[in-house]
Amino acid sequence: MPRSVVTQLMFEGKAEEAMNLYVSLFNGSVTAVEKYRTGAHGPEGTIKRAEFTIAGHRLACIDSPMPHAFTFTPSASLFVECADEAELDAAFATLSAGGAVLMPPGGYGFSKKFTWVSDRFGVSWQLNLA
């Protein structure tokens, strides 16, 4: 039986930037950071592994030491229940900047307001106001 499940995000050199954005946007905290050192398997100063929380959800991130032919897919996304419309609007503005809007903010019948975006790092976010 697993002790815990953590969402892990893999980047290519942008893990720290993404983690810091998410932590600032959703009042989170960075709980651990390990970076590659000189002579290590990955580029010096990039994230070997970091852990952080946003809205009580545990995540981890890495910078892949090797290039790969894939990235994130919208079929796996982080679903955020926003406290109010101002929070949803602010998160939408920040996460959609440089990214893509998959579903613009609106009332889709299942909530007061909902939007789905892919941020500039390729991570998919569903923002909801119940």
Side-chain angles (χ1 to χ4, degrees), residues 7-26:
T7 302
Q8 180 153 312
L9 305 172
M10 182 173 64
F11 300 89
E12 289 184 13
K14 298 286 186 180
E16 187 167 24
E17 181 182 352
M19 174 181 64
N20 289 335
L21 174 69
Y22 306 153
V23 164
S24 71
L25 191 59
F26 295 111

PDB file of all heavy atoms in Angstrom, residues 7-26:
ATOM      1  N   THR A   7       1.521  14.497  -6.937  1.00  0.00           N
ATOM      2  CA  THR A   7       1.544  14.848  -8.352  1.00  0.00           C
ATOM      3  C   THR A   7       2.942  15.332  -8.693  1.00  0.00           C
ATOM      4  O   THR A   7       3.457  16.246  -8.049  1.00  0.00           O
ATOM      5  CB  THR A   7       0.523  15.965  -8.650  1.00  0.00           C
ATOM      6  OG1 THR A   7      -0.777  15.512  -8.258  1.00  0.00           O
ATOM      7  CG2 THR A   7       0.530  16.328 -10.120  1.00  0.00           C
ATOM      8  N   GLN A   8       3.572  14.718  -9.690  1.00  0.00           N
ATOM      9  CA  GLN A   8       4.922  15.120 -10.090  1.00  0.00           C
ATOM     10  C   GLN A   8       4.880  15.719 -11.490  1.00  0.00           C
ATOM     11  O   GLN A   8       4.308  15.143 -12.410  1.00  0.00           O
ATOM     12  CB  GLN A   8       5.902  13.945 -10.057  1.00  0.00           C
ATOM     13  CG  GLN A   8       7.302  14.389 -10.480  1.00  0.00           C
ATOM     14  CD  GLN A   8       8.380  13.541  -9.891  1.00  0.00           C
ATOM     15  OE1 GLN A   8       8.387  13.275  -8.696  1.00  0.00           O
ATOM     16  NE2 GLN A   8       9.314  13.127 -10.715  1.00  0.00           N
ATOM     17  N   LEU A   9       5.529  16.863 -11.629  1.00  0.00           N
ATOM     18  CA  LEU A   9       5.588  17.580 -12.899  1.00  0.00           C
ATOM     19  C   LEU A   9       7.026  17.584 -13.405  1.00  0.00           C
ATOM     20  O   LEU A   9       7.940  17.919 -12.653  1.00  0.00           O
ATOM     21  CB  LEU A   9       5.097  19.018 -12.716  1.00  0.00           C
ATOM     22  CG  LEU A   9       3.703  19.178 -12.094  1.00  0.00           C
ATOM     23  CD1 LEU A   9       3.423  20.646 -11.788  1.00  0.00           C
ATOM     24  CD2 LEU A   9       2.640  18.591 -12.999  1.00  0.00           C
ATOM     25  N   MET A  10       7.224  17.240 -14.673  1.00  0.00           N
ATOM     26  CA  MET A  10       8.564  17.204 -15.256  1.00  0.00           C
ATOM     27  C   MET A  10       8.713  18.338 -16.268  1.00  0.00           C
ATOM     28  O   MET A  10       7.919  18.454 -17.199  1.00  0.00           O
ATOM     29  CB  MET A  10       8.829  15.863 -15.937  1.00  0.00           C
ATOM     30  CG  MET A  10      10.244  15.770 -16.512  1.00  0.00           C
ATOM     31  SD  MET A  10      10.668  14.133 -17.150  1.00  0.00           S
ATOM     32  CE  MET A  10       9.506  13.945 -18.489  1.00  0.00           C
ATOM     33  N   PHE A  11       9.738  19.125 -16.070  1.00  0.00           N
ATOM     34  CA  PHE A  11      10.044  20.260 -16.934  1.00  0.00           C
ATOM     35  C   PHE A  11      11.409  20.052 -17.570  1.00  0.00           C
ATOM     36  O   PHE A  11      12.137  19.130 -17.210  1.00  0.00           O
ATOM     37  CB  PHE A  11      10.052  21.558 -16.125  1.00  0.00           C
ATOM     38  CG  PHE A  11       8.743  21.865 -15.459  1.00  0.00           C
ATOM     39  CD1 PHE A  11       8.462  21.393 -14.184  1.00  0.00           C
ATOM     40  CD2 PHE A  11       7.787  22.630 -16.102  1.00  0.00           C
ATOM     41  CE1 PHE A  11       7.248  21.676 -13.559  1.00  0.00           C
ATOM     42  CE2 PHE A  11       6.575  22.920 -15.498  1.00  0.00           C
ATOM     43  CZ  PHE A  11       6.312  22.440 -14.217  1.00  0.00           C
ATOM     44  N   GLU A  12      11.751  20.933 -18.474  1.00  0.00           N
ATOM     45  CA  GLU A  12      13.088  20.961 -19.059  1.00  0.00           C
ATOM     46  C   GLU A  12      13.700  22.327 -18.775  1.00  0.00           C
ATOM     47  O   GLU A  12      13.682  23.221 -19.612  1.00  0.00           O
ATOM     48  CB  GLU A  12      13.037  20.685 -20.563  1.00  0.00           C
ATOM     49  CG  GLU A  12      12.687  19.252 -20.898  1.00  0.00           C
ATOM     50  CD  GLU A  12      12.741  18.964 -22.385  1.00  0.00           C
ATOM     51  OE1 GLU A  12      13.269  19.770 -23.167  1.00  0.00           O
ATOM     52  OE2 GLU A  12      12.239  17.889 -22.777  1.00  0.00           O
ATOM     53  N   GLY A  13      14.188  22.515 -17.536  1.00  0.00           N
ATOM     54  CA  GLY A  13      14.858  23.751 -17.160  1.00  0.00           C
ATOM     55  C   GLY A  13      13.966  24.836 -16.596  1.00  0.00           C
ATOM     56  O   GLY A  13      14.440  25.916 -16.259  1.00  0.00           O
ATOM     57  N   LYS A  14      12.669  24.598 -16.446  1.00  0.00           N
ATOM     58  CA  LYS A  14      11.738  25.623 -15.961  1.00  0.00           C
ATOM     59  C   LYS A  14      11.027  25.225 -14.668  1.00  0.00           C
ATOM     60  O   LYS A  14      10.084  25.889 -14.245  1.00  0.00           O
ATOM     61  CB  LYS A  14      10.678  25.928 -17.022  1.00  0.00           C
ATOM     62  CG  LYS A  14      11.220  26.477 -18.322  1.00  0.00           C
ATOM     63  CD  LYS A  14      11.658  27.895 -18.159  1.00  0.00           C
ATOM     64  CE  LYS A  14      12.072  28.488 -19.505  1.00  0.00           C
ATOM     65  NZ  LYS A  14      12.494  29.856 -19.371  1.00  0.00           N
ATOM     66  N   ALA A  15      11.461  24.166 -14.023  1.00  0.00           N
ATOM     67  CA  ALA A  15      10.769  23.662 -12.836  1.00  0.00           C
ATOM     68  C   ALA A  15      10.713  24.690 -11.717  1.00  0.00           C
ATOM     69  O   ALA A  15       9.660  24.906 -11.113  1.00  0.00           O
ATOM     70  CB  ALA A  15      11.428  22.373 -12.339  1.00  0.00           C
ATOM     71  N   GLU A  16      11.822  25.334 -11.427  1.00  0.00           N
ATOM     72  CA  GLU A  16      11.843  26.290 -10.318  1.00  0.00           C
ATOM     73  C   GLU A  16      10.945  27.486 -10.603  1.00  0.00           C
ATOM     74  O   GLU A  16      10.186  27.931  -9.733  1.00  0.00           O
ATOM     75  CB  GLU A  16      13.277  26.746 -10.027  1.00  0.00           C
ATOM     76  CG  GLU A  16      13.383  27.598  -8.777  1.00  0.00           C
ATOM     77  CD  GLU A  16      14.820  27.774  -8.326  1.00  0.00           C
ATOM     78  OE1 GLU A  16      15.752  27.659  -9.153  1.00  0.00           O
ATOM     79  OE2 GLU A  16      15.012  28.030  -7.127  1.00  0.00           O
ATOM     80  N   GLU A  17      10.994  27.986 -11.823  1.00  0.00           N
ATOM     81  CA  GLU A  17      10.144  29.123 -12.210  1.00  0.00           C
ATOM     82  C   GLU A  17       8.669  28.754 -12.091  1.00  0.00           C
ATOM     83  O   GLU A  17       7.860  29.519 -11.547  1.00  0.00           O
ATOM     84  CB  GLU A  17      10.480  29.549 -13.637  1.00  0.00           C
ATOM     85  CG  GLU A  17       9.694  30.733 -14.136  1.00  0.00           C
ATOM     86  CD  GLU A  17      10.011  31.102 -15.579  1.00  0.00           C
ATOM     87  OE1 GLU A  17      10.962  30.538 -16.178  1.00  0.00           O
ATOM     88  OE2 GLU A  17       9.287  31.947 -16.119  1.00  0.00           O
ATOM     89  N   ALA A  18       8.295  27.589 -12.587  1.00  0.00           N
ATOM     90  CA  ALA A  18       6.904  27.143 -12.511  1.00  0.00           C
ATOM     91  C   ALA A  18       6.473  26.950 -11.060  1.00  0.00           C
ATOM     92  O   ALA A  18       5.410  27.433 -10.649  1.00  0.00           O
ATOM     93  CB  ALA A  18       6.726  25.849 -13.299  1.00  0.00           C
ATOM     94  N   MET A  19       7.283  26.263 -10.281  1.00  0.00           N
ATOM     95  CA  MET A  19       6.957  26.014  -8.881  1.00  0.00           C
ATOM     96  C   MET A  19       6.741  27.325  -8.136  1.00  0.00           C
ATOM     97  O   MET A  19       5.751  27.477  -7.405  1.00  0.00           O
ATOM     98  CB  MET A  19       8.084  25.209  -8.220  1.00  0.00           C
ATOM     99  CG  MET A  19       7.923  25.021  -6.726  1.00  0.00           C
ATOM    100  SD  MET A  19       9.274  24.082  -5.976  1.00  0.00           S
ATOM    101  CE  MET A  19      10.679  25.162  -6.251  1.00  0.00           C
ATOM    102  N   ASN A  20       7.620  28.281  -8.316  1.00  0.00           N
ATOM    103  CA  ASN A  20       7.494  29.567  -7.623  1.00  0.00           C
ATOM    104  C   ASN A  20       6.229  30.314  -8.048  1.00  0.00           C
ATOM    105  O   ASN A  20       5.577  30.957  -7.217  1.00  0.00           O
ATOM    106  CB  ASN A  20       8.736  30.420  -7.841  1.00  0.00           C
ATOM    107  CG  ASN A  20       9.934  29.885  -7.088  1.00  0.00           C
ATOM    108  OD1 ASN A  20       9.797  29.188  -6.076  1.00  0.00           O
ATOM    109  ND2 ASN A  20      11.120  30.175  -7.574  1.00  0.00           N
ATOM    110  N   LEU A  21       5.863  30.221  -9.335  1.00  0.00           N
ATOM    111  CA  LEU A  21       4.624  30.846  -9.797  1.00  0.00           C
ATOM    112  C   LEU A  21       3.418  30.210  -9.114  1.00  0.00           C
ATOM    113  O   LEU A  21       2.557  30.902  -8.573  1.00  0.00           O
ATOM    114  CB  LEU A  21       4.495  30.722 -11.315  1.00  0.00           C
ATOM    115  CG  LEU A  21       3.161  31.223 -11.889  1.00  0.00           C
ATOM    116  CD1 LEU A  21       3.065  32.744 -11.766  1.00  0.00           C
ATOM    117  CD2 LEU A  21       3.003  30.793 -13.326  1.00  0.00           C
ATOM    118  N   TYR A  22       3.358  28.889  -9.097  1.00  0.00           N
ATOM    119  CA  TYR A  22       2.211  28.196  -8.516  1.00  0.00           C
ATOM    120  C   TYR A  22       2.089  28.459  -7.017  1.00  0.00           C
ATOM    121  O   TYR A  22       0.999  28.689  -6.499  1.00  0.00           O
ATOM    122  CB  TYR A  22       2.293  26.692  -8.770  1.00  0.00           C
ATOM    123  CG  TYR A  22       2.458  26.310 -10.224  1.00  0.00           C
ATOM    124  CD1 TYR A  22       3.092  25.127 -10.588  1.00  0.00           C
ATOM    125  CD2 TYR A  22       2.005  27.130 -11.259  1.00  0.00           C
ATOM    126  CE1 TYR A  22       3.248  24.768 -11.922  1.00  0.00           C
ATOM    127  CE2 TYR A  22       2.164  26.781 -12.597  1.00  0.00           C
ATOM    128  CZ  TYR A  22       2.790  25.596 -12.920  1.00  0.00           C
ATOM    129  OH  TYR A  22       2.951  25.234 -14.228  1.00  0.00           O
ATOM    130  N   VAL A  23       3.210  28.455  -6.325  1.00  0.00           N
ATOM    131  CA  VAL A  23       3.209  28.712  -4.886  1.00  0.00           C
ATOM    132  C   VAL A  23       2.710  30.123  -4.595  1.00  0.00           C
ATOM    133  O   VAL A  23       1.906  30.339  -3.684  1.00  0.00           O
ATOM    134  CB  VAL A  23       4.621  28.476  -4.297  1.00  0.00           C
ATOM    135  CG1 VAL A  23       4.768  29.079  -2.919  1.00  0.00           C
ATOM    136  CG2 VAL A  23       4.926  26.981  -4.260  1.00  0.00           C
ATOM    137  N   SER A  24       3.147  31.105  -5.394  1.00  0.00           N
ATOM    138  CA  SER A  24       2.711  32.482  -5.159  1.00  0.00           C
ATOM    139  C   SER A  24       1.244  32.674  -5.514  1.00  0.00           C
ATOM    140  O   SER A  24       0.528  33.420  -4.858  1.00  0.00           O
ATOM    141  CB  SER A  24       3.579  33.463  -5.951  1.00  0.00           C
ATOM    142  OG  SER A  24       3.316  33.371  -7.344  1.00  0.00           O
ATOM    143  N   LEU A  25       0.775  31.993  -6.535  1.00  0.00           N
ATOM    144  CA  LEU A  25      -0.591  32.161  -7.013  1.00  0.00           C
ATOM    145  C   LEU A  25      -1.616  31.527  -6.075  1.00  0.00           C
ATOM    146  O   LEU A  25      -2.701  32.065  -5.873  1.00  0.00           O
ATOM    147  CB  LEU A  25      -0.713  31.548  -8.408  1.00  0.00           C
ATOM    148  CG  LEU A  25      -1.970  31.824  -9.197  1.00  0.00           C
ATOM    149  CD1 LEU A  25      -2.174  33.325  -9.414  1.00  0.00           C
ATOM    150  CD2 LEU A  25      -1.896  31.116 -10.534  1.00  0.00           C
ATOM    151  N   PHE A  26      -1.288  30.386  -5.497  1.00  0.00           N
ATOM    152  CA  PHE A  26      -2.247  29.645  -4.679  1.00  0.00           C
ATOM    153  C   PHE A  26      -1.824  29.550  -3.214  1.00  0.00           C
ATOM    154  O   PHE A  26      -2.144  28.587  -2.531  1.00  0.00           O
ATOM    155  CB  PHE A  26      -2.478  28.251  -5.271  1.00  0.00           C
ATOM    156  CG  PHE A  26      -3.127  28.295  -6.624  1.00  0.00           C
ATOM    157  CD1 PHE A  26      -2.414  27.923  -7.749  1.00  0.00           C
ATOM    158  CD2 PHE A  26      -4.430  28.732  -6.767  1.00  0.00           C
ATOM    159  CE1 PHE A  26      -3.006  27.967  -9.004  1.00  0.00           C
ATOM    160  CE2 PHE A  26      -5.030  28.785  -8.018  1.00  0.00           C
ATOM    161  CZ  PHE A  26      -4.321  28.406  -9.133  1.00  0.00           C
TER     162      PHE A  26
END
